Amino acid sequence: MYAATGVPIKPVLVHFEDERDDRPASTVEDLMGMLMSDGWPKRPNDIVWGKALSSCMSAITTQSGGTRARRAFVEAAHLAQFRVLPDDDLPKSRRNGKLGTARDAERSTRLSAGHSR
């Protein structure tokens, strides 16, 4: 008998304001459950939420695309003003999927301090 397994993602913890504990997610199915939960703010015509839900459904259907679904989920969570860990603890250059280098960080620090090269 076939037993479906979840589409894995890089784990996240999402803080819903009305709950004491963060909600963990390690599969696309977990993300979709949060998107559909009563704790998620419902906004008419929320395109970002719809994109996240669609990405999750696509990943579940194809059993691939977990990274894309996770990225869409994090974008929707931020729009809903939820804290998402570990993403919110990363430097901004890495949050968008860019790795950034020490040189980039140094340059950014110089620019923000009003220095240029």
Short mmCIF file of all heavy atoms in Angstrom, two decimals, residues 24-96:
data_model
loop_
_atom_site.label_atom_id
_atom_site.label_comp_id
_atom_site.label_asym_id
_atom_site.label_seq_id
_atom_site.Cartn_x
_atom_site.Cartn_y
_atom_site.Cartn_z
N PRO A 24 5.78 24.95 14.23
CA PRO A 24 6.85 24.44 13.38
C PRO A 24 6.29 23.91 12.06
O PRO A 24 5.14 23.48 11.98
CB PRO A 24 7.42 23.29 14.20
CG PRO A 24 6.25 22.80 14.99
CD PRO A 24 5.41 24.02 15.28
N ALA A 25 7.12 23.95 11.02
CA ALA A 25 6.76 23.35 9.74
C ALA A 25 8.02 22.75 9.14
O ALA A 25 9.08 23.39 9.11
CB ALA A 25 6.19 24.39 8.79
N SER A 26 7.91 21.50 8.68
CA SER A 26 9.04 20.85 8.01
C SER A 26 8.61 20.25 6.67
O SER A 26 9.42 19.64 5.99
CB SER A 26 9.65 19.77 8.90
OG SER A 26 8.68 18.81 9.24
N THR A 27 7.33 20.42 6.33
CA THR A 27 6.82 19.95 5.04
C THR A 27 5.91 21.02 4.43
O THR A 27 5.42 21.90 5.14
CB THR A 27 5.99 18.65 5.18
OG1 THR A 27 4.80 18.93 5.91
CG2 THR A 27 6.78 17.53 5.84
N VAL A 28 5.70 20.90 3.14
CA VAL A 28 4.79 21.81 2.46
C VAL A 28 3.38 21.67 3.03
O VAL A 28 2.65 22.65 3.19
CB VAL A 28 4.80 21.55 0.93
CG1 VAL A 28 3.70 22.34 0.24
CG2 VAL A 28 6.16 21.89 0.34
N GLU A 29 3.01 20.46 3.40
CA GLU A 29 1.69 20.23 4.00
C GLU A 29 1.52 21.04 5.28
O GLU A 29 0.44 21.56 5.55
CB GLU A 29 1.47 18.74 4.26
CG GLU A 29 1.30 17.91 2.99
CD GLU A 29 2.61 17.57 2.27
OE1 GLU A 29 3.70 18.00 2.70
OE2 GLU A 29 2.52 16.87 1.25
N ASP A 30 2.60 21.15 6.07
CA ASP A 30 2.56 21.96 7.29
C ASP A 30 2.30 23.43 6.95
O ASP A 30 1.53 24.12 7.62
CB ASP A 30 3.86 21.86 8.07
CG ASP A 30 4.14 20.48 8.65
OD1 ASP A 30 3.19 19.69 8.82
OD2 ASP A 30 5.33 20.20 8.91
N LEU A 31 2.98 23.91 5.91
CA LEU A 31 2.80 25.31 5.48
C LEU A 31 1.36 25.56 5.05
O LEU A 31 0.75 26.55 5.43
CB LEU A 31 3.75 25.64 4.31
CG LEU A 31 5.24 25.52 4.56
CD1 LEU A 31 6.01 25.86 3.29
CD2 LEU A 31 5.69 26.39 5.72
N MET A 32 0.84 24.63 4.26
CA MET A 32 -0.52 24.77 3.77
C MET A 32 -1.52 24.78 4.93
O MET A 32 -2.50 25.54 4.92
CB MET A 32 -0.85 23.66 2.79
CG MET A 32 -2.10 23.91 2.01
SD MET A 32 -2.13 22.80 0.60
CE MET A 32 -3.80 23.04 0.08
N GLY A 33 -1.27 23.95 5.94
CA GLY A 33 -2.13 23.94 7.11
C GLY A 33 -2.16 25.28 7.81
O GLY A 33 -3.22 25.73 8.27
N MET A 34 -1.01 25.95 7.89
CA MET A 34 -0.98 27.28 8.51
C MET A 34 -1.72 28.30 7.66
O MET A 34 -2.47 29.13 8.19
CB MET A 34 0.47 27.72 8.72
CG MET A 34 1.14 27.07 9.89
SD MET A 34 2.73 27.85 10.21
CE MET A 34 3.80 26.43 10.07
N LEU A 35 -1.52 28.24 6.33
CA LEU A 35 -2.21 29.17 5.44
C LEU A 35 -3.73 29.04 5.56
O LEU A 35 -4.46 30.03 5.45
CB LEU A 35 -1.80 28.92 3.99
CG LEU A 35 -0.39 29.35 3.60
CD1 LEU A 35 0.00 28.75 2.25
CD2 LEU A 35 -0.26 30.86 3.58
N MET A 36 -4.21 27.83 5.79
CA MET A 36 -5.65 27.56 5.85
C MET A 36 -6.23 27.68 7.27
O MET A 36 -7.43 27.58 7.45
CB MET A 36 -5.94 26.16 5.31
CG MET A 36 -5.51 25.95 3.87
SD MET A 36 -6.39 27.00 2.72
CE MET A 36 -8.03 26.32 2.86
N SER A 37 -5.38 27.91 8.25
CA SER A 37 -5.83 27.91 9.64
C SER A 37 -6.64 29.16 9.98
O SER A 37 -6.57 30.19 9.30
CB SER A 37 -4.63 27.80 10.59
OG SER A 37 -3.93 29.03 10.63
N ASP A 38 -7.37 29.07 11.08
CA ASP A 38 -8.14 30.21 11.57
C ASP A 38 -7.23 31.33 12.06
O ASP A 38 -7.65 32.49 12.11
CB ASP A 38 -9.06 29.78 12.72
CG ASP A 38 -10.21 28.91 12.24
OD1 ASP A 38 -10.56 28.98 11.04
OD2 ASP A 38 -10.75 28.14 13.05
N GLY A 39 -5.99 31.00 12.41
CA GLY A 39 -5.06 32.01 12.91
C GLY A 39 -4.47 32.90 11.83
O GLY A 39 -3.84 33.90 12.12
N TRP A 40 -4.67 32.52 10.56
CA TRP A 40 -4.13 33.32 9.45
C TRP A 40 -5.13 34.42 9.12
O TRP A 40 -6.30 34.15 8.92
CB TRP A 40 -3.90 32.45 8.22
CG TRP A 40 -2.98 33.12 7.25
CD1 TRP A 40 -3.31 34.06 6.32
CD2 TRP A 40 -1.57 32.91 7.12
NE1 TRP A 40 -2.20 34.46 5.63
CE2 TRP A 40 -1.12 33.77 6.10
CE3 TRP A 40 -0.66 32.09 7.78
CZ2 TRP A 40 0.21 33.82 5.71
CZ3 TRP A 40 0.66 32.14 7.39
CH2 TRP A 40 1.10 33.00 6.38
N PRO A 41 -4.68 35.68 9.04
CA PRO A 41 -5.62 36.77 8.73
C PRO A 41 -6.18 36.62 7.31
O PRO A 41 -5.42 36.45 6.37
CB PRO A 41 -4.77 38.03 8.86
CG PRO A 41 -3.37 37.59 8.72
CD PRO A 41 -3.32 36.16 9.18
N LYS A 42 -7.48 36.67 7.19
CA LYS A 42 -8.13 36.55 5.88
C LYS A 42 -8.37 37.95 5.32
O LYS A 42 -9.02 38.77 5.96
CB LYS A 42 -9.46 35.80 6.00
CG LYS A 42 -9.36 34.44 6.68
CD LYS A 42 -8.48 33.47 5.91
CE LYS A 42 -8.56 32.07 6.47
NZ LYS A 42 -7.43 31.64 7.25
N ARG A 43 -7.81 38.20 4.15
CA ARG A 43 -7.99 39.49 3.48
C ARG A 43 -8.59 39.24 2.10
O ARG A 43 -8.10 38.37 1.38
CB ARG A 43 -6.65 40.20 3.33
CG ARG A 43 -6.02 40.59 4.65
CD ARG A 43 -4.73 41.38 4.41
NE ARG A 43 -4.13 41.72 5.66
CZ ARG A 43 -3.04 41.15 6.16
NH1 ARG A 43 -2.44 40.19 5.52
NH2 ARG A 43 -2.55 41.53 7.30
N PRO A 44 -9.59 39.99 1.72
CA PRO A 44 -10.16 39.81 0.39
C PRO A 44 -9.11 40.05 -0.70
O PRO A 44 -8.32 40.98 -0.60
CB PRO A 44 -11.26 40.87 0.30
CG PRO A 44 -11.49 41.34 1.69
CD PRO A 44 -10.25 41.05 2.46
N ASN A 45 -9.10 39.20 -1.69
CA ASN A 45 -8.19 39.34 -2.84
C ASN A 45 -6.72 39.40 -2.47
O ASN A 45 -5.95 40.13 -3.09
CB ASN A 45 -8.58 40.57 -3.67
CG ASN A 45 -10.00 40.53 -4.13
OD1 ASN A 45 -10.50 39.49 -4.55
ND2 ASN A 45 -10.69 41.65 -4.00
N ASP A 46 -6.31 38.66 -1.46
CA ASP A 46 -4.90 38.62 -1.04
C ASP A 46 -4.11 37.78 -2.04
O ASP A 46 -4.07 36.55 -1.94
CB ASP A 46 -4.79 38.05 0.37
CG ASP A 46 -3.38 38.15 0.95
OD1 ASP A 46 -2.41 38.34 0.17
OD2 ASP A 46 -3.25 38.03 2.18
N ILE A 47 -3.50 38.45 -3.00
CA ILE A 47 -2.78 37.78 -4.08
C ILE A 47 -1.56 37.01 -3.55
O ILE A 47 -1.27 35.91 -4.01
CB ILE A 47 -2.36 38.80 -5.15
CG1 ILE A 47 -3.61 39.37 -5.80
CG2 ILE A 47 -1.45 38.17 -6.19
CD1 ILE A 47 -3.35 40.57 -6.69
N VAL A 48 -0.87 37.57 -2.59
CA VAL A 48 0.33 36.92 -2.06
C VAL A 48 -0.05 35.64 -1.32
O VAL A 48 0.61 34.60 -1.47
CB VAL A 48 1.13 37.89 -1.15
CG1 VAL A 48 2.33 37.20 -0.54
CG2 VAL A 48 1.57 39.11 -1.96
N TRP A 49 -1.12 35.69 -0.53
CA TRP A 49 -1.61 34.48 0.14
C TRP A 49 -2.03 33.44 -0.89
O TRP A 49 -1.72 32.26 -0.76
CB TRP A 49 -2.78 34.84 1.06
CG TRP A 49 -3.40 33.67 1.74
CD1 TRP A 49 -2.99 33.09 2.90
CD2 TRP A 49 -4.53 32.91 1.29
NE1 TRP A 49 -3.81 32.03 3.22
CE2 TRP A 49 -4.76 31.89 2.23
CE3 TRP A 49 -5.36 32.99 0.19
CZ2 TRP A 49 -5.79 30.97 2.10
CZ3 TRP A 49 -6.40 32.08 0.06
CH2 TRP A 49 -6.60 31.07 1.01
N GLY A 50 -2.75 33.87 -1.92
CA GLY A 50 -3.18 32.96 -2.97
C GLY A 50 -2.02 32.31 -3.69
O GLY A 50 -2.05 31.11 -4.01
N LYS A 51 -0.97 33.09 -3.94
CA LYS A 51 0.24 32.55 -4.59
C LYS A 51 0.89 31.50 -3.70
O LYS A 51 1.33 30.45 -4.17
CB LYS A 51 1.22 33.68 -4.89
CG LYS A 51 2.52 33.22 -5.50
CD LYS A 51 3.48 34.38 -5.69
CE LYS A 51 4.86 33.88 -6.06
NZ LYS A 51 5.85 34.96 -6.04
N ALA A 52 0.95 31.77 -2.40
CA ALA A 52 1.55 30.82 -1.46
C ALA A 52 0.73 29.53 -1.43
O ALA A 52 1.29 28.43 -1.48
CB ALA A 52 1.65 31.43 -0.06
N LEU A 53 -0.59 29.66 -1.36
CA LEU A 53 -1.46 28.49 -1.34
C LEU A 53 -1.32 27.69 -2.64
O LEU A 53 -1.19 26.46 -2.62
CB LEU A 53 -2.91 28.92 -1.13
CG LEU A 53 -3.92 27.80 -0.90
CD1 LEU A 53 -3.57 27.00 0.36
CD2 LEU A 53 -5.32 28.38 -0.80
N SER A 54 -1.30 28.38 -3.76
CA SER A 54 -1.15 27.73 -5.06
C SER A 54 0.20 27.01 -5.16
O SER A 54 0.29 25.89 -5.67
CB SER A 54 -1.28 28.77 -6.17
OG SER A 54 -1.07 28.20 -7.43
N SER A 55 1.26 27.65 -4.68
CA SER A 55 2.59 27.02 -4.71
C SER A 55 2.62 25.77 -3.86
O SER A 55 3.23 24.76 -4.23
CB SER A 55 3.65 28.01 -4.21
OG SER A 55 3.80 29.07 -5.10
N CYS A 56 1.95 25.81 -2.71
CA CYS A 56 1.90 24.63 -1.84
C CYS A 56 1.12 23.51 -2.52
O CYS A 56 1.55 22.35 -2.52
CB CYS A 56 1.25 24.98 -0.50
SG CYS A 56 2.29 25.96 0.60
N MET A 57 -0.03 23.84 -3.10
CA MET A 57 -0.83 22.81 -3.77
C MET A 57 -0.07 22.20 -4.93
O MET A 57 -0.10 20.98 -5.12
CB MET A 57 -2.16 23.41 -4.23
CG MET A 57 -3.06 23.72 -3.06
SD MET A 57 -4.76 24.31 -3.39
CE MET A 57 -4.73 25.05 -4.95
N SER A 58 0.64 23.00 -5.67
CA SER A 58 1.43 22.50 -6.79
C SER A 58 2.54 21.57 -6.31
O SER A 58 2.78 20.51 -6.89
CB SER A 58 2.03 23.68 -7.57
OG SER A 58 2.86 23.23 -8.60
N ALA A 59 3.22 21.97 -5.23
CA ALA A 59 4.31 21.14 -4.68
C ALA A 59 3.77 19.80 -4.19
O ALA A 59 4.40 18.76 -4.38
CB ALA A 59 5.02 21.88 -3.56
N ILE A 60 2.61 19.82 -3.57
CA ILE A 60 2.01 18.57 -3.07
C ILE A 60 1.61 17.68 -4.25
O ILE A 60 1.86 16.48 -4.24
CB ILE A 60 0.82 18.88 -2.15
CG1 ILE A 60 1.31 19.52 -0.85
CG2 ILE A 60 0.02 17.61 -1.86
CD1 ILE A 60 0.22 20.13 0.01
N THR A 61 1.03 18.28 -5.26
CA THR A 61 0.59 17.52 -6.43
C THR A 61 1.75 16.87 -7.17
O THR A 61 1.69 15.71 -7.56
CB THR A 61 -0.20 18.43 -7.40
OG1 THR A 61 -1.32 18.97 -6.70
CG2 THR A 61 -0.67 17.67 -8.61
N THR A 62 2.83 17.63 -7.35
CA THR A 62 3.99 17.13 -8.11
C THR A 62 5.03 16.44 -7.24
O THR A 62 5.97 15.87 -7.75
CB THR A 62 4.67 18.27 -8.88
OG1 THR A 62 5.19 19.23 -7.94
CG2 THR A 62 3.71 18.94 -9.84
N GLN A 63 4.84 16.54 -5.91
CA GLN A 63 5.82 16.01 -4.95
C GLN A 63 7.20 16.62 -5.19
O GLN A 63 8.24 15.96 -5.04
CB GLN A 63 5.88 14.48 -5.01
CG GLN A 63 4.63 13.80 -4.46
CD GLN A 63 4.51 14.00 -2.95
OE1 GLN A 63 5.30 13.47 -2.18
NE2 GLN A 63 3.51 14.76 -2.53
N SER A 64 7.23 17.89 -5.59
CA SER A 64 8.48 18.64 -5.77
C SER A 64 8.16 20.13 -5.62
O SER A 64 7.00 20.51 -5.53
CB SER A 64 9.08 18.37 -7.15
OG SER A 64 8.22 18.85 -8.16
N GLY A 65 9.17 20.95 -5.61
CA GLY A 65 8.95 22.39 -5.53
C GLY A 65 8.79 22.92 -4.13
O GLY A 65 8.22 23.98 -3.92
N GLY A 66 9.32 22.19 -3.15
CA GLY A 66 9.21 22.63 -1.76
C GLY A 66 9.88 23.97 -1.50
O GLY A 66 9.36 24.78 -0.75
N THR A 67 11.00 24.21 -2.16
CA THR A 67 11.72 25.47 -1.96
C THR A 67 10.88 26.64 -2.45
O THR A 67 10.78 27.68 -1.79
CB THR A 67 13.08 25.44 -2.68
OG1 THR A 67 13.85 24.37 -2.15
CG2 THR A 67 13.84 26.74 -2.51
N ARG A 68 10.26 26.49 -3.60
CA ARG A 68 9.42 27.55 -4.17
C ARG A 68 8.21 27.80 -3.27
O ARG A 68 7.84 28.94 -2.99
CB ARG A 68 8.99 27.16 -5.58
CG ARG A 68 8.20 28.19 -6.30
CD ARG A 68 7.90 27.86 -7.76
NE ARG A 68 7.69 26.45 -8.06
CZ ARG A 68 8.57 25.66 -8.68
NH1 ARG A 68 9.73 26.14 -9.06
NH2 ARG A 68 8.30 24.39 -8.91
N ALA A 69 7.59 26.73 -2.78
CA ALA A 69 6.43 26.87 -1.90
C ALA A 69 6.83 27.56 -0.60
O ALA A 69 6.10 28.42 -0.09
CB ALA A 69 5.82 25.50 -1.61
N ARG A 70 7.99 27.18 -0.05
CA ARG A 70 8.46 27.79 1.20
C ARG A 70 8.70 29.28 1.00
O ARG A 70 8.32 30.10 1.84
CB ARG A 70 9.74 27.10 1.67
CG ARG A 70 10.25 27.59 3.01
CD ARG A 70 11.59 26.92 3.32
NE ARG A 70 12.09 27.25 4.63
CZ ARG A 70 12.67 28.42 4.95
NH1 ARG A 70 12.82 29.36 4.03
NH2 ARG A 70 13.11 28.62 6.17
N ARG A 71 9.32 29.64 -0.11
CA ARG A 71 9.61 31.05 -0.40
C ARG A 71 8.31 31.86 -0.49
O ARG A 71 8.20 32.95 0.07
CB ARG A 71 10.40 31.16 -1.71
CG ARG A 71 11.02 32.51 -1.94
CD ARG A 71 11.91 32.55 -3.18
NE ARG A 71 12.73 31.38 -3.32
CZ ARG A 71 12.78 30.61 -4.43
NH1 ARG A 71 12.07 30.88 -5.49
NH2 ARG A 71 13.57 29.55 -4.47
N ALA A 72 7.31 31.32 -1.19
CA ALA A 72 6.02 32.00 -1.32
C ALA A 72 5.33 32.10 0.04
O ALA A 72 4.72 33.12 0.36
CB ALA A 72 5.13 31.26 -2.32
N PHE A 73 5.44 31.06 0.85
CA PHE A 73 4.86 31.07 2.19
C PHE A 73 5.49 32.16 3.05
O PHE A 73 4.78 32.92 3.73
CB PHE A 73 5.04 29.71 2.88
CG PHE A 73 4.59 29.72 4.31
CD1 PHE A 73 3.26 29.48 4.63
CD2 PHE A 73 5.48 30.00 5.34
CE1 PHE A 73 2.84 29.52 5.96
CE2 PHE A 73 5.08 30.04 6.65
CZ PHE A 73 3.75 29.80 6.96
N VAL A 74 6.81 32.24 3.04
CA VAL A 74 7.51 33.24 3.87
C VAL A 74 7.09 34.65 3.45
O VAL A 74 6.85 35.51 4.29
CB VAL A 74 9.04 33.05 3.80
CG1 VAL A 74 9.78 34.22 4.43
CG2 VAL A 74 9.44 31.73 4.48
N GLU A 75 6.95 34.88 2.15
CA GLU A 75 6.51 36.18 1.67
C GLU A 75 5.11 36.50 2.20
O GLU A 75 4.85 37.61 2.69
CB GLU A 75 6.51 36.21 0.14
CG GLU A 75 6.13 37.55 -0.44
CD GLU A 75 6.15 37.58 -1.96
OE1 GLU A 75 6.57 36.60 -2.59
OE2 GLU A 75 5.71 38.61 -2.50
N ALA A 76 4.21 35.53 2.14
CA ALA A 76 2.84 35.73 2.65
C ALA A 76 2.85 35.95 4.16
O ALA A 76 2.11 36.78 4.68
CB ALA A 76 1.96 34.55 2.28
N ALA A 77 3.68 35.20 4.87
CA ALA A 77 3.76 35.33 6.33
C ALA A 77 4.26 36.72 6.71
O ALA A 77 3.75 37.33 7.65
CB ALA A 77 4.67 34.25 6.91
N HIS A 78 5.23 37.22 5.99
CA HIS A 78 5.73 38.56 6.29
C HIS A 78 4.67 39.61 6.01
O HIS A 78 4.52 40.56 6.78
CB HIS A 78 7.01 38.85 5.49
CG HIS A 78 8.20 38.16 6.06
ND1 HIS A 78 9.29 37.81 5.30
CD2 HIS A 78 8.49 37.72 7.31
CE1 HIS A 78 10.19 37.21 6.05
NE2 HIS A 78 9.72 37.14 7.28
N LEU A 79 3.92 39.44 4.93
CA LEU A 79 2.84 40.38 4.63
C LEU A 79 1.78 40.35 5.74
O LEU A 79 1.20 41.38 6.09
CB LEU A 79 2.20 40.05 3.28
CG LEU A 79 1.16 41.04 2.79
CD1 LEU A 79 1.78 42.41 2.54
CD2 LEU A 79 0.51 40.53 1.52
N ALA A 80 1.55 39.17 6.31
CA ALA A 80 0.60 39.02 7.42
C ALA A 80 1.22 39.45 8.75
O ALA A 80 0.58 39.34 9.79
CB ALA A 80 0.11 37.58 7.49
N GLN A 81 2.46 39.88 8.71
CA GLN A 81 3.22 40.36 9.86
C GLN A 81 3.52 39.27 10.89
O GLN A 81 3.51 39.50 12.10
CB GLN A 81 2.53 41.56 10.51
CG GLN A 81 2.41 42.72 9.55
CD GLN A 81 1.81 43.96 10.16
OE1 GLN A 81 1.33 43.96 11.29
NE2 GLN A 81 1.85 45.04 9.42
N PHE A 82 3.78 38.06 10.39
CA PHE A 82 4.23 36.97 11.24
C PHE A 82 5.75 36.91 11.21
O PHE A 82 6.36 37.15 10.18
CB PHE A 82 3.69 35.61 10.76
CG PHE A 82 2.20 35.47 10.90
CD1 PHE A 82 1.45 34.98 9.86
CD2 PHE A 82 1.56 35.79 12.08
CE1 PHE A 82 0.08 34.83 9.98
CE2 PHE A 82 0.18 35.65 12.21
CZ PHE A 82 -0.55 35.16 11.16
N ARG A 83 6.32 36.57 12.33
CA ARG A 83 7.77 36.35 12.41
C ARG A 83 8.04 34.92 11.96
O ARG A 83 7.38 33.98 12.40
CB ARG A 83 8.24 36.56 13.84
CG ARG A 83 9.73 36.44 14.02
CD ARG A 83 10.11 36.90 15.42
NE ARG A 83 11.42 36.44 15.77
CZ ARG A 83 12.55 37.07 15.46
NH1 ARG A 83 12.50 38.20 14.80
NH2 ARG A 83 13.72 36.58 15.82
N VAL A 84 9.02 34.77 11.07
CA VAL A 84 9.37 33.46 10.52
C VAL A 84 10.85 33.21 10.81
O VAL A 84 11.71 33.97 10.38
CB VAL A 84 9.13 33.40 9.00
CG1 VAL A 84 9.48 32.02 8.45
CG2 VAL A 84 7.70 33.76 8.65
N LEU A 85 11.11 32.14 11.56
CA LEU A 85 12.49 31.79 11.89
C LEU A 85 12.87 30.52 11.13
O LEU A 85 12.02 29.66 10.94
CB LEU A 85 12.63 31.55 13.39
CG LEU A 85 12.34 32.76 14.26
CD1 LEU A 85 12.37 32.36 15.73
CD2 LEU A 85 13.31 33.88 14.00
N PRO A 86 14.07 30.39 10.65
CA PRO A 86 15.23 31.23 10.87
C PRO A 86 15.35 32.39 9.90
O PRO A 86 16.27 33.19 10.02
CB PRO A 86 16.39 30.26 10.66
CG PRO A 86 15.92 29.35 9.59
CD PRO A 86 14.43 29.17 9.87
N ASP A 87 14.46 32.55 8.96
CA ASP A 87 14.58 33.57 7.92
C ASP A 87 14.75 34.98 8.47
O ASP A 87 15.55 35.76 7.95
CB ASP A 87 13.39 33.53 6.97
CG ASP A 87 13.30 32.21 6.26
OD1 ASP A 87 13.21 31.17 6.95
OD2 ASP A 87 13.33 32.17 5.02
N ASP A 88 14.00 35.35 9.49
CA ASP A 88 14.07 36.70 10.02
C ASP A 88 15.35 36.97 10.79
O ASP A 88 15.64 38.12 11.10
CB ASP A 88 12.86 36.99 10.91
CG ASP A 88 11.58 37.06 10.09
OD1 ASP A 88 11.66 37.14 8.85
OD2 ASP A 88 10.50 37.02 10.69
N ASP A 89 16.12 35.93 11.09
CA ASP A 89 17.39 36.12 11.77
C ASP A 89 18.56 36.21 10.80
O ASP A 89 19.69 36.45 11.21
CB ASP A 89 17.66 34.98 12.75
CG ASP A 89 16.80 35.09 14.00
OD1 ASP A 89 16.26 36.20 14.26
OD2 ASP A 89 16.66 34.09 14.71
N LEU A 90 18.30 36.04 9.50
CA LEU A 90 19.35 36.09 8.49
C LEU A 90 19.59 37.53 8.06
O LEU A 90 18.67 38.35 8.10
CB LEU A 90 18.96 35.27 7.26
CG LEU A 90 18.80 33.77 7.46
CD1 LEU A 90 18.26 33.15 6.18
CD2 LEU A 90 20.12 33.14 7.83
N PRO A 91 20.82 37.84 7.61
CA PRO A 91 21.04 39.17 7.03
C PRO A 91 20.12 39.34 5.82
O PRO A 91 19.78 38.37 5.14
CB PRO A 91 22.51 39.12 6.58
CG PRO A 91 23.11 37.99 7.32
CD PRO A 91 22.01 37.02 7.62
N LYS A 92 19.71 40.57 5.56
CA LYS A 92 18.75 40.82 4.49
C LYS A 92 19.20 40.25 3.14
O LYS A 92 18.38 39.74 2.38
CB LYS A 92 18.49 42.32 4.36
CG LYS A 92 17.34 42.64 3.46
CD LYS A 92 16.97 44.09 3.52
CE LYS A 92 15.70 44.31 2.69
NZ LYS A 92 15.18 45.62 2.87
N SER A 93 20.49 40.30 2.84
CA SER A 93 20.97 39.79 1.55
C SER A 93 20.73 38.29 1.41
O SER A 93 20.57 37.79 0.32
CB SER A 93 22.46 40.08 1.37
OG SER A 93 23.21 39.42 2.36
N ARG A 94 20.66 37.56 2.53
CA ARG A 94 20.42 36.11 2.46
C ARG A 94 18.95 35.77 2.50
O ARG A 94 18.55 34.71 2.07
CB ARG A 94 21.14 35.41 3.61
CG ARG A 94 22.66 35.48 3.39
CD ARG A 94 23.40 34.58 4.27
NE ARG A 94 23.03 33.20 4.00
CZ ARG A 94 23.29 32.21 4.84
NH1 ARG A 94 23.88 32.46 5.96
NH2 ARG A 94 22.92 30.99 4.55
N ARG A 95 18.10 36.67 3.02
CA ARG A 95 16.67 36.41 3.09
C ARG A 95 16.05 36.25 1.71
O ARG A 95 15.11 35.53 1.52
CB ARG A 95 15.93 37.54 3.79
CG ARG A 95 15.96 37.41 5.26
CD ARG A 95 15.09 38.44 5.89
NE ARG A 95 15.90 39.12 6.85
CZ ARG A 95 15.69 40.32 7.30
NH1 ARG A 95 14.70 41.02 6.87
NH2 ARG A 95 16.49 40.84 8.19
N ASN A 96 16.61 36.94 0.74
CA ASN A 96 16.06 36.89 -0.61
C ASN A 96 16.70 35.80 -1.45
O ASN A 96 16.59 35.81 -2.66
CB ASN A 96 16.26 38.24 -1.30
CG ASN A 96 15.53 39.35 -0.57
OD1 ASN A 96 14.47 39.11 -0.03
ND2 ASN A 96 16.11 40.53 -0.52
#
